């Protein structure tokens, strides 16, 4: 391979305007928004009726768990929500015990920083998804500075557990109506991404970004479909076939039909029947037979009714075109083809996931950043005389992303969102102080607004998160608005500044090394897939497993390279090698699909294509 031209920039430009640019809302933005309202409202209204709104922060800790796992199939969602609730209870218990044993603010900040680091590492390792560790850190950090006794802890934990159980029910409530809703959405996104890639290719553009995004969407769809292991179903198998068609289109994007892919994506959404994609090999065979004057079953029609074709090519039908083959044989053939198509899926479903401890090692820099940044932010806040240093601690914890550039963007978003949010709180506070019901309704409105807007940009969601956090502090009793606003502004600036400095100080120097490892993994996966594709005796299961392994390695390479590109103070990155490795992998993926008979051999003069969804 030619020598790489590395990227030598050590300090990269940090975006400001770009970090605040609004994106498209999530397709399911309303799900977490409605779920959190449904989870928070009943416990809060019940406590209001009992005159114990001072206990609402504990029930809200459990209710906020309803924000998680909306992209998971329901069988997996049940487990994820249960683990999130247990994790929340564990962090809350540590915080409450610490608060009851000491009132030393420095010790409490240190405990909060360590909890934030653990929560960050575990959430990243398990890929729990948004809102990740931020909610857990907010709950545990806030509890550290609430006066507590050991005798009160069991009751407070019971309230949080009861609200968490209600949040679990809220999260699982749509299952009877849309059992395969998450899988359908993931499949539709993969088809839309493949269609976008095909449109880019047909327009004569290289479309490296669109192709990487499409492979990532297909990989995400497989993760969603395979997360529920050993539970295949007719619907899930049909969705798996559609994802395979999306990957086939990615193997030859210039020949794929974007309109057909998008029509499949539209049909998948909702609760209707999942479209049948058909077998392209069978369609090809049927077209060839029709050209020869044959029916799909191999018997020609005789215009003269003599019982034989004029060209002597074979027998004709004399029964007006009635089918001579048995329907059961055709159904058996369909089952065999579907079995061959999904054997790789079954092979991957049988693979045991990597143990959790093996995924924690690469996350060490992020955990150290979180611990150091949160602790320093809390200490500085205390030095400035803050009464609630956990605000600075949570601000720092929310910053840390995959690299320094993304961390900077999140810092900008957090500061802008919080500054606008305190202005919103100043406007809402007089209404919230009209009475307990008004306070609860304002909290519910802020919960809904935060989840409805945060998908467009983090700063926009923070505009509602900030007044929500400030309103929660008023549940035990109303406090001066001016003091709350001033404290929040100071702690936001302290947390963002100190947190970012900690991110710069603790660099991820292994990022470049991980790019090298990812390149090696792609090269090995590509060589293995090429050997399997070249072996005439390869089974469909081995071929499909090799193809899927290579696709996953390519997705991981792109994610690793993007993360490393935003890091500072590291050696130059082999960007040219990354691009060449991706191009070679894409060619090998096309060869494996061609080996399965779903693409024509290169250089053939046939006008037919085996690409599912190909243009006429």
């Amino acid at each position: 391979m030619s020598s790489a031209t590395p990227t030598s920039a050590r300090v990269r430009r940090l975006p400001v305007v770009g970090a605040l640019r609004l994106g498209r809302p999530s397709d399911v933005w309303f799900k977490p928004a409605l779920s959190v309202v449904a989870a928070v409202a009943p416990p809060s209204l019940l406590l209001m009726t009992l005159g114990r709104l001072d206990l609402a922060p504990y029930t809200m800790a459990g209710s906020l768990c309803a924000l998680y796992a909306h992209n998971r199939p329901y069988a997996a969602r049940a487990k994820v929500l249960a683990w999130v609730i247990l994790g929340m209870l564990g962090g809350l218990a540590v915080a409450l015990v610490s608060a009851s044993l000491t009132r030393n603010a420095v010790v409490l900040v240190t405990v909060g920083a360590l909890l934030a680091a653990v929560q960050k590492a575990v959430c990243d390792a398990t890929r729990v998804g948004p809102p990740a560790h931020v909610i857990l850190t907010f709950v545990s950090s806030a509890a550290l500075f609430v006066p507590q006794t050991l005798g009160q802890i069991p009751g407070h934990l019971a309230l949080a557990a009861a609200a968490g159980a209600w949040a679990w029910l809220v999260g699982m409530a749509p299952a009877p109506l849309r059992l395969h809703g998450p899988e359908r959405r993931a499949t539709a996104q993969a088809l839309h991404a493949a269609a976008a890639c095909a449109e880019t290719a047909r327009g004569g553009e290289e479309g490296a970004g669109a192709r990487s995004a499409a492979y990532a969407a297909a990989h995400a769809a497989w993760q969603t479909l395979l997360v529920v292991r050993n539970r295949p179903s007719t619907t899930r198998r049909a969705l798996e076939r559609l994802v395979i068609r999306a990957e086939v289109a990615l193997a030859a994007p210039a020949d794929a039909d974007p309109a057909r892919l998008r029509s499949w994506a539209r049909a998948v959404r909702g609760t209707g029947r999942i479209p049948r994609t058909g077998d392209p090999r069978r369609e090809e065979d049927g077209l060839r037979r029709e050209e020869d004057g044959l029916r799909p079953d191999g018997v020609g029609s005789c215009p003269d009714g003599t019982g034989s074709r004029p060209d002597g090519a074979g027998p004709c039908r004399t029964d007006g075109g009635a089918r001579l083959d048995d329907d059961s044989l055709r159904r058996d053939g369909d089952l065999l083809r579907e079995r061959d198509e999904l054997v790789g899926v079954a092979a991957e479903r049988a693979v045991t996931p990597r143990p959790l401890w093996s995924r924690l090692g690469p996350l060490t820099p992020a955990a150290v950043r979180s611990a150091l940044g949160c602790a320093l932010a809390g200490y500085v806040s205390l030095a400035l005389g803050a009464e609630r240093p956990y605000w600075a601690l949570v601000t720092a914890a929310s910053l840390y992303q995959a690299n320094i550039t993304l961390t900077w963007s999140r810092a900008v978003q957090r500061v802008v969102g919080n500054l606008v949010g305190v202005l919103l709180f100043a406007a809402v506070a007089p209404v919230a102080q009209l009475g307990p019901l008004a306070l609860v309704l304002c909290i519910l409105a802020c919960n809904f607004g935060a989840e409805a807007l945060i998908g467009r940009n983090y700063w926009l969601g923070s505009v509602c998160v900030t007044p929500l956090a400030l309103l929660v502090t008023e549940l035990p009793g109303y406090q001066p608005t001016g003091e709350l606003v001033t404290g929040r502004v100071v702690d936001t600036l302290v947390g963002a500044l100190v947190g970012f400095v900690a991110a710069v100080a603790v660099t991820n120097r292994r990022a470049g090394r991980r790019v090298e490892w990812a390149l090696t993994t792609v090269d090995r996966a590509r060589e293995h897939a090429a050997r399997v594709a070249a072996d005439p005796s390869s089974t469909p299961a081995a071929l499909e497993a090799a193809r899927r392994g290579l696709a996953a390695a390519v997705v991981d390479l792109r994610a690793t390279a993007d993360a490393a590109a935003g890091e500072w103070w590291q050696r130059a990155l082999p960007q040219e090698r990354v691009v060449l490795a991706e191009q070679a992998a894409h060619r090998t993926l096309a060869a494996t699909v061609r080996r399965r008979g779903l693409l024509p051999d290169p250089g053939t003069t046939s006008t037919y294509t085996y690409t599912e969804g190909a243009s006429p």
Side-chain angles (χ1 to χ4, degrees):
M1 182 176 291
S2 59
S3 60
T5 302
T7 301
S8 57
R10 296 178 66 81
V11 178
R12 292 165 175 80
R13 296 180 59 185
L14 298 175
V16 176
V17 177
L20 302 177
R21 188 174 294 115
L22 298 181
R24 296 185 59 185
S26 168
D27 293 340
V28 292
W29 63 268
F30 55 90
K31 289 183 177 293
L34 294 175
S35 295
V36 72
V37 171
V40 171
S44 299
L45 293 174
L46 177 60
L47 291 174
M48 183 196 71
T49 303
L50 298 175
R52 293 303 307 270
L53 265 183
D54 59 304
L55 298 177
Y58 302 106
T59 60
M60 194 169 296
S63 298
L64 291 177
C65 294
L67 295 172
Y68 289 85
H70 285 276
N71 61 334
R72 302 290 183 103
Y74 287 102
R77 183 183 301 185
K79 297 180 181 179
V80 171
L81 284 176
W83 281 111
V84 167
I85 294 168
L86 290 175
M88 179 274 300
L89 290 173
L92 181 61
V94 172
L96 293 180
V97 171
S98 300
S100 65
L101 294 178
T102 180
R103 299 309 306 159
N104 187 309
V106 174
V107 173
L108 294 178
V109 166
T110 303
V111 173
L114 294 176
L115 280 175
V118 171
Q119 290 160 344
K120 166 72 173 173
V122 173
C123 286
D124 287 355
T126 57
R127 297 179 180 177
V128 70
H133 66 290
V134 177
I135 294 296
L136 303 179
T137 300
F138 170 73
V139 168
S140 59
S141 299
L144 282 167
F145 295 90
V146 177
Q148 200 78 204
T149 63
L150 288 174
Q152 294 174 316
I153 294 176
H156 292 165
L157 289 177
L159 286 172
W166 172 247
W168 187 93
L169 293 175
V170 170
M172 297 299 297
L177 301 178
R178 287 176 52 84
L179 181 60
H180 296 96
E183 296 98 318
R184 284 172 173 262
R185 289 193 298 272
T187 302
Q189 290 168 359
L191 291 168
H192 275 303
C197 180
E199 288 174 345
T200 302
R202 296 179 75 179
E205 304 175 16
E206 291 186 5
R211 194 164 192 170
S212 296
Y215 271 111
H219 184 62
W222 281 123
Q223 288 182 319
T224 301
L225 290 168
L226 297 176
V227 71
V228 183
R229 297 179 178 272
N230 301 321
R231 287 193 181 184
S233 67
T234 302
T235 300
R236 194 169 287 114
R237 282 194 293 268
L239 294 172
E240 289 167 353
R241 285 193 291 271
L242 285 171
V243 178
I244 290 174
R245 294 301 177 262
E247 291 182 322
V248 170
L250 292 178
D255 296 330
D257 183 359
R260 191 173 186 186
L261 293 169
R262 293 192 188 279
S263 69
W264 284 343
R266 288 191 297 269
V268 165
R269 293 189 177 275
T271 57
R273 292 179 61 87
I274 297 175
R276 297 277 299 184
T277 60
D279 186 348
R281 289 162 292 186
R282 176 175 157 187
E283 292 172 3
E284 166 80 0
D285 184 66
L287 287 171
R288 292 183 183 277
R289 290 179 182 276
E290 287 178 11
E291 278 196 345
D292 294 335
L294 292 173
R295 300 290 184 184
D297 57 2
V299 180
S301 59
C302 302
D304 57 1
T306 60
S308 62
R309 294 176 56 187
D311 56 3
C316 295
R317 307 178 88 126
T318 58
D319 57 356
R323 297 176 60 86
L324 298 181
D325 59 328
D326 190 85
D327 288 341
S328 63
L329 295 178
R330 185 174 294 276
R331 285 195 299 269
D332 291 343
D334 289 341
L335 292 174
L336 289 174
R337 279 184 286 268
E338 291 178 5
R339 184 198 65 186
D340 287 347
E341 196 170 67
L342 299 176
V343 285
V345 178
E348 182 165 346
R349 186 175 279 118
V351 175
T352 303
R354 291 171 56 195
L356 177 61
W357 63 266
S358 67
R359 289 172 274 165
L360 290 173
L363 299 172
T364 301
V368 174
R369 280 177 179 174
S370 295
L372 180 62
C374 292
L376 292 178
Y379 299 152
V380 173
S381 180
L382 286 175
L384 295 176
E387 295 181 0
R388 299 174 183 82
Y390 71 88
W391 282 348
L393 190 154
V394 173
T395 296
S398 67
L399 302 185
Y400 301 115
Q401 305 298 306
N403 55 49
I404 292 180
T405 303
L406 294 178
T407 298
W408 163 263
S409 297
R410 181 54 55 88
V412 172
Q413 295 162 356
R414 182 82 180 192
V415 170
V416 172
N418 282 14
L419 293 181
V420 177
V422 296
L423 298 179
L424 178 60
F425 170 74
V428 170
V431 178
Q433 293 175 356
L434 292 176
L437 180 59
L439 177 58
V440 171
L441 292 179
C442 287
I443 287 175
L444 294 177
C446 288
N447 270 300
F448 182 87
E451 295 309 314
L453 298 175
I454 203 166
R456 303 203 63 183
N457 195 297
Y458 184 82
W459 78 264
L460 198 59
S462 296
V463 171
C464 292
V465 171
T466 300
L468 170 62
L470 293 172
L471 289 171
V472 169
T473 63
E474 297 202 331
L475 287 171
Y478 298 121
Q479 303 179 46
T481 301
E483 293 181 7
L484 290 176
V485 169
T486 302
R488 184 67 173 187
V489 169
V490 171
D491 285 335
T492 295
L493 297 176
V494 168
L497 178 60
V498 176
F500 182 72
V501 169
V504 174
V506 183
T507 59
N508 187 3
R509 297 184 180 274
R510 297 181 180 179
R513 197 180 312 164
R514 289 199 181 92
V515 174
E516 297 286 349
W517 294 342
L519 282 168
T520 301
T521 301
V522 168
D523 289 340
R524 290 176 178 173
R526 183 177 59 81
E527 293 171 359
H528 173 67
R531 286 196 302 269
V532 173
D535 186 359
S537 62
S538 297
T539 64
L543 187 63
E544 186 66 10
R547 182 183 69 84
R548 295 282 305 286
L550 177 56
V554 171
V555 172
D556 182 68
L557 172 62
R558 173 45 51 194
T560 304
D562 288 344
E567 282 291 349
W568 288 4
W569 319 118
Q570 63 175 336
R571 59 182 179 178
L573 298 177
Q575 295 287 18
E576 183 180 345
R577 284 184 58 200
V578 171
V579 173
L580 293 176
E582 288 179 323
Q583 292 173 346
H586 291 156
R587 289 193 295 269
T588 304
L589 286 169
T592 58
V593 176
R594 186 178 296 112
R595 174 68 169 76
R596 291 288 306 277
L598 299 176
L599 281 176
D601 292 331
T604 58
T605 58
S606 171
T607 59
Y608 302 104
T609 177
Y610 292 107
T611 305
E612 185 65 32
S615 303

